[in-house]
Amino acid sequence: MKVYCISDNVDTQMGLRLAGIEGVVLHDRDLVLECLEKLIKDDNIAIVLMTTKIVNLCPDVVSKYKLELSKPLLVEIPDRHGSAEIGETIDKYISEAIGIKL
């Protein structure tokens, strides 16, 4: 099983590449969605790391995939320019999944 990274900047992609994680740098919503579709169909991909900016390009699709797919696991990672509001993101996913605002 492999890990793959979809990043919005070269620094994150190169850092993960040094750790043996392949990936791409994208800036366009359509290209991100196309890449995600390919990764979902690839049985060798177990985890897809996505920077916060990439997730923000298509939050509706990422949320849908997180709720519906058992594989690959989609994980949001902050880039070097800031931190993600992970707590708020988790609250949002739980609220969407159970239908109750936390």
Side-chain angles (χ1 to χ4, degrees):
M1 294 296 185
K2 295 182 180 179
V3 179
Y4 197 86
C5 176
I6 303 174
S7 177
D8 64 298
N9 67 64
V10 176
D11 295 334
T12 301
Q13 194 272 332
M14 288 303 295
L16 290 171
R17 182 67 192 121
L18 290 172
I21 297 173
E22 294 184 29
V24 295
V25 177
L26 301 173
H27 301 283
D28 182 62
R29 176 185 165 92
D30 293 331
L31 294 175
V32 170
L33 295 176
E34 182 181 317
C35 183
L36 266 178
E37 288 296 323
K38 288 180 185 176
L39 294 172
I40 287 169
K41 293 177 183 175
D42 188 343
D43 290 333
N44 292 322
I45 303 295
I47 300 172
V48 177
L49 303 175
M50 303 172 71
T51 58
T52 302
K53 288 183 182 180
I54 291 294
V55 172
N56 289 337
L57 284 176
C58 47
D60 52 334
V61 176
V62 173
S63 294
K64 177 182 167 219
Y65 285 158
K66 282 186 174 188
L67 292 172
E68 294 177 357
L69 299 176
S70 60
K71 186 179 145 231
L73 177 65
L74 302 178
V75 180
E76 180 179 342
I77 59 171
D79 65 8
R80 68 182 180 91
H81 296 293
S83 63
E85 301 296 332
I86 298 299
E88 291 175 14
T89 304
I90 292 171
D91 287 347
K92 178 182 163 200
Y93 291 137
I94 292 171
S95 297
E96 289 175 3
I98 63 175
I100 299 172
K101 183 173 168 118
L102 300 175

